[in-house]
Amino acid sequence: MITTKQKRGKGRSVQELIGIKTFTKYGLMTGRGELLFFRVAPTNISVLSHANIEVKIRRLMMVLSALPDIEIVCTDSSECFDDNKAYLTARLEAEDNGRVKKLIKKDIDFLDTIQVEMAAARQFFFVARLKGQKEKQVFETANRIESKISGEGFEVHRLKKPEMKRILALYFDASMQGDTIPDIDGEQYFQI
């Protein structure tokens, strides 16, 4: 039996279901406001002295107190290989040819090696949610936020549309090449 909630959801796009409306000139418009993304380069604190670590913490506290509504996001910087590994493991069990089994085993070992190397590859973002601002106000706010983060000694970069698409693709486990995904699903098949 189909519920009323299922009827309402039928025919809705993925964008609608996750609350994304469109890309804007500076960010991503959602049902709860415009999101601006700022990538912050991580600092390897294992090589810093205790005093320098305290300075970094204090500077992060300064950013957070100056921008209390900022959100912090941490994501993997590469896709997960679990599905590929599961496929190869199933393929290894089903394979009868010894030579092919050897090759599949090498592929599994290679994926393990890559995954271990990328386990520490993380991306850090500050996300600002703006509501009801005009384009000029968004631009000024984005510059102010970027300036504040940078002023506290963090290496910061405001994301452009292709970079935001890549993050979304990684987040939803779709592809490493998220920046090449069309804005509208199937759009590439209807271009004249």
Side-chain angles (χ1 to χ4, degrees), residues 56-73:
K56 280 290 188 189
I57 292 170
R58 232 183 337 275
R59 287 185 169 185
L60 178 58
M61 287 172 41
M62 295 296 290
V63 169
L64 296 176
S65 63
L67 306 167
D69 296 331
I70 202 97
E71 300 171 34
I72 300 174
V73 177

Side-chain angles (χ1 to χ4, degrees), residues 163-182:
E163 296 164 310
M164 285 184 274
K165 287 171 73 173
R166 184 170 188 278
I167 290 170
L168 290 171
L170 284 171
Y171 182 79
F172 290 107
D173 203 24
S175 167
M176 282 289 290
Q177 288 77 36
D179 53 339
T180 62
I181 294 175

Side-chain angles (χ1 to χ4, degrees), residues 104-128:
I104 293 172
K105 180 67 175 128
K106 283 185 177 184
D107 283 344
I108 291 171
D109 292 342
F110 176 70
L111 285 179
D112 285 340
T113 304
I114 289 175
Q115 195 148 12
V116 166
E117 289 173 5
M118 294 183 165
R122 304 281 188 255
Q123 298 180 103
F124 297 90
F125 303 95
F126 286 139
V127 181

Side-chain angles (χ1 to χ4, degrees), residues 6-192:
Q6 287 172 325
K7 283 181 187 176
R8 269 188 267 137
K10 191 174 183 180
R12 293 175 65 193
S13 71
V14 172
Q15 280 181 281
E16 289 174 311
L17 292 172
I18 59 177
I20 296 173
K21 291 184 177 179
T22 187
F23 288 96
T24 64
K25 189 171 182 179
Y26 303 108
L28 185 66
M29 185 58 72
T30 70
R32 295 176 51 205
E34 185 170 355
L35 301 177
L36 305 179
F37 292 85
F38 302 87
R39 180 184 347 222
V40 178
T43 302
N44 184 358
I45 61 171
S46 65
V47 298
L48 295 179
S49 69
H50 183 69
N52 283 336
I53 292 172
E54 285 182 1
V55 168
K56 280 290 188 189
I57 292 170
R58 232 183 337 275
R59 287 185 169 185
L60 178 58
M61 287 172 41
M62 295 296 290
V63 169
L64 296 176
S65 63
L67 306 167
D69 296 331
I70 202 97
E71 300 171 34
I72 300 174
V73 177
C74 175
T75 66
D76 291 333
S77 63
S78 62
E79 65 185 319
C80 180
F81 296 104
D82 291 344
D83 290 341
N84 293 347
K85 192 172 172 183
Y87 168 77
L88 288 173
T89 303
R91 185 76 180 81
L92 181 65
E93 292 171 8
E95 185 56 54
D96 294 327
N97 186 324
R99 289 182 177 170
V100 173
K101 277 187 160 196
K102 247 182 171 173
L103 290 172
I104 293 172
K105 180 67 175 128
K106 283 185 177 184
D107 283 344
I108 291 171
D109 292 342
F110 176 70
L111 285 179
D112 285 340
T113 304
I114 289 175
Q115 195 148 12
V116 166
E117 289 173 5
M118 294 183 165
R122 304 281 188 255
Q123 298 180 103
F124 297 90
F125 303 95
F126 286 139
V127 181
R129 186 181 308 271
L130 309 179
K131 294 181 183 178
Q133 291 190 4
K134 296 186 185 314
E135 190 176 302
K136 184 179 179 187
Q137 293 170 311
V138 170
F139 176 72
E140 291 168 355
T141 302
N143 285 340
R144 183 180 55 80
I145 292 170
E146 190 170 9
S147 175
K148 181 61 184 166
I149 296 168
S150 151
E152 291 299 336
F154 293 97
E155 188 179 320
V156 65
H157 165 74
R158 186 172 354 144
L159 298 186
K160 307 267 188 276
K161 182 179 176 179
E163 296 164 310
M164 285 184 274
K165 287 171 73 173
R166 184 170 188 278
I167 290 170
L168 290 171
L170 284 171
Y171 182 79
F172 290 107
D173 203 24
S175 167
M176 282 289 290
Q177 288 77 36
D179 53 339
T180 62
I181 294 175
D183 292 352
I184 300 169
D185 196 21
E187 172 182 52
Q188 68 273 26
Y189 302 113
F190 295 101
Q191 293 179 356
I192 297 175

